[in-house]
Amino acid sequence: MIAFEHVGKRYGGRFDALAGLDFTVERGEMAFLTGHSGAGKSSLLKLIMLLERPSRGRILVAGHDIGRLHVSQVPYYRRQIGVVFQDHQLLSDRNIFHNVALPLMIQGVTPREQARRVRAALDKVGLLHREKALPVELSGGEQQRVGIARAVVNKPALLLADEPTGNLDPALSADIMRLFEDFNRIGTTVMIASHDLALIAGLHHRTLELADGRLIADKDAR
Amino acid sequence: MSSSRLRTRKPTPEAVESADAAERRARKGARSSRVSVESRYRSWLSHHGAMARDSARRLLVTPIASLLTMLAIAIALTLPAALWLALDSARLLDNELNDSAQLTLYLDTSVSEGRALDLADRLRDEQGIGGVRLITAAEGMEEFAQALDLKRSLSLLDNNPLPASIMITPVDTTPESVHQLATRLESEPGVESARLDLAWLERLRQLGELGQKVTLGLAVLFGLGVLLVVGNTIRLSVESRRQEIEVVTLIGATHAFVRRPFLYSGAWYGLGGGLLACGILALGGSWLAAPVTGLVQSYGGNYVLPSLGLSGGAALLFSSTILGWVGAWFAVGRHLASISPR
């Protein structure tokens, strides 16, 4: 699903945020990306989301060299990827339903179909009863679950998460990870950047460890 | 792992999608893609409607700020529009003056009244001549005496020193053709000279042309002003919605989708500014109407202050709306370029 081939990312001509990355994540796999702050986890995810382009090497997602995508094709590429952010990035001026419906609205899904899929996604994260609430009226854990619902509402083949449990206590974090495992079980490829080693260790999935922009360990815990 | 291996082993999303679609077709008939074209079109339309309403609502949330922006646009539009109106009325005036452009042929004093009449009759049938009026020497003397109240002193003269004259109204009133007509008629036997005073007509025309260019120049400048006003306002609103733009871009919004609400805001600003400009012009017109009418009447003229009218108003609103739209397009475009992947 994801293949990195000798990928490097250099900022400002001198600083190597990522260097010599070579790895593959298979379709339907679930993998964690760990490492200290500044190890390059976020940079790596940004490359997959095409927020940035690699300075060296190439990245294949579902067999396509995403470095060769034209700017006008980038939106359509991103629609195939669900993204969950640490600070969930919900829009504060609209309610939960409309936040989750956003990707469907962008893709031009009819309102009736939108409603059906939004409710299915909210049901999956256990927040169907809060669809009319505004993001501020929700707790941190609930907001993150809305963020996940928005990421999966259009059934993406690939789900990326950048520190999705960074602001949550251990019990809530475990809940969130269980949600990701559920999506992985129905075939979604999941890649989660997290520095919560204790949490990751208990989940028994593949773990890619970064340090100073290099891949220093690739452990399959299954 | 090489890409070819990845490709052979793993199906691409398209492959998955078409398999998915095939399965769905099998289940409930023809439905080729995940989001059908018709559904996309309908939701595109409804998104346009929603964005038009939403951007109007946003303008109404901050009524004073919106009104100030629209006023700035209106003032920038009023000046060139008022100049254009003034120019338009000057053109009307010009036409009227052209209609009164006359050519006077002074005949030799030796030409008899009968010959003068013959000449006038002949000229009447000639091409390029709209009207002919003969003023005999006696009539000329009469008019002259009356105009100057010199009846008594002139009656002392033994014979009439004035020549007969023929007033010609040309059909084509452009300076060149009137000139040509004058030279042609001057060579007629019995015609002493042809007189026409074109210099001031030409001056007026040149003044009109200058006015036209000045108006065009100002319209371009002030149009740019409108672009900047709208652009700056939209830039601020882009700044305040930066997070929203980044989020929707991240989840696959096209540039057109991101631009849409701002384009509608720009168009609303432009339309509002245009409406205000129409209002200012109407107010200014009624304010100036009384003194202008008084002034013109004192010259014995009959002149109505011009107004935009329906088509002029529509043109003003249309161009102001387009200017607002274009200004917004540039403002958002700059921001979009800055968040493209590098």
Side-chain angles (χ1 to χ4, degrees), chain A residues 105-123:
Chain A
M105 196 174 89
I106 288 169
Q107 289 183 29
V109 174
T110 56
R112 242 186 50 205
E113 181 69 5
Q114 278 184 32
R116 195 184 65 76
R117 290 210 225 163
V118 168
R119 299 219 164 91
L122 281 176
D123 191 31

Side-chain angles (χ1 to χ4, degrees), chain B residues 85-148:
Chain B
L85 279 182
L87 213 67
D88 206 40
S89 60
R91 212 173 302 136
L92 282 179
L93 220 58
D94 193 31
N95 284 341
E96 230 163 83
L97 287 170
N98 271 346
D99 285 347
S100 66
Q102 281 188 333
L103 197 61
T104 312
L105 303 181
Y106 294 100
L107 305 185
D108 264 351
T109 38
S110 60
V111 173
S112 71
E113 206 171 309
R115 268 187 62 204
L117 265 170
D118 284 347
L119 181 62
D121 281 342
R122 197 157 52 73
L123 288 178
R124 206 165 271 133
D125 297 333
E126 240 182 72
Q127 255 191 350
I129 292 175
V132 171
R133 185 173 145 240
L134 175 71
I135 300 166
T136 60
E139 281 168 351
M141 177 60 97
E142 184 83 359
E143 266 183 38
F144 185 50
Q146 241 173 24
L148 297 178

Side-chain angles (χ1 to χ4, degrees), chain B residues 2-198:
Chain B
S2 77
S3 65
S4 57
R5 226 181 109 200
L6 192 86
R7 216 172 273 149
T8 49
R9 265 185 44 182
K10 299 294 169 194
T12 61
E14 285 89 337
V16 171
E17 213 167 88
S18 58
D20 196 33
E23 186 191 305
R24 212 158 351 137
R25 244 197 316 279
R27 249 185 302 143
K28 56 175 185 181
R31 268 283 172 82
S32 54
S33 72
R34 244 196 346 205
V35 182
S36 75
V37 173
E38 190 208 345
S39 141
R40 261 190 229 186
Y41 175 68
R42 258 191 295 156
S43 101
W44 178 81
L45 272 187
S46 84
H47 188 246
H48 267 278
M51 286 305 104
R53 283 191 299 275
D54 181 65
S55 55
R57 191 181 52 76
R58 277 174 200 270
L59 294 199
L60 293 177
V61 168
T62 53
I64 302 291
S66 306
L67 195 67
L68 285 178
T69 303
M70 288 178 191
L71 258 180
I73 295 168
I75 290 165
L77 289 172
T78 302
L79 193 64
L83 264 174
W84 183 79
L85 279 182
L87 213 67
D88 206 40
S89 60
R91 212 173 302 136
L92 282 179
L93 220 58
D94 193 31
N95 284 341
E96 230 163 83
L97 287 170
N98 271 346
D99 285 347
S100 66
Q102 281 188 333
L103 197 61
T104 312
L105 303 181
Y106 294 100
L107 305 185
D108 264 351
T109 38
S110 60
V111 173
S112 71
E113 206 171 309
R115 268 187 62 204
L117 265 170
D118 284 347
L119 181 62
D121 281 342
R122 197 157 52 73
L123 288 178
R124 206 165 271 133
D125 297 333
E126 240 182 72
Q127 255 191 350
I129 292 175
V132 171
R133 185 173 145 240
L134 175 71
I135 300 166
T136 60
E139 281 168 351
M141 177 60 97
E142 184 83 359
E143 266 183 38
F144 185 50
Q146 241 173 24
L148 297 178
D149 205 10
L150 290 172
K151 207 156 197 162
R152 261 224 321 240
S153 17
L154 287 175
S155 66
L156 297 174
L157 292 170
D158 293 341
N159 49 4
N160 188 348
L162 294 179
S165 58
I166 299 174
M167 309 274 284
I168 306 277
T169 312
V171 175
D172 187 353
T173 55
T174 57
E176 305 81 58
S177 59
V178 176
H179 248 304
Q180 275 172 11
L181 187 64
T183 24
R184 203 180 80 211
L185 294 180
E186 222 167 11
S187 60
E188 285 282 337
V191 175
E192 161 85 30
S193 68
R195 167 101 27 109
L196 88 158
D197 199 2
L198 273 179

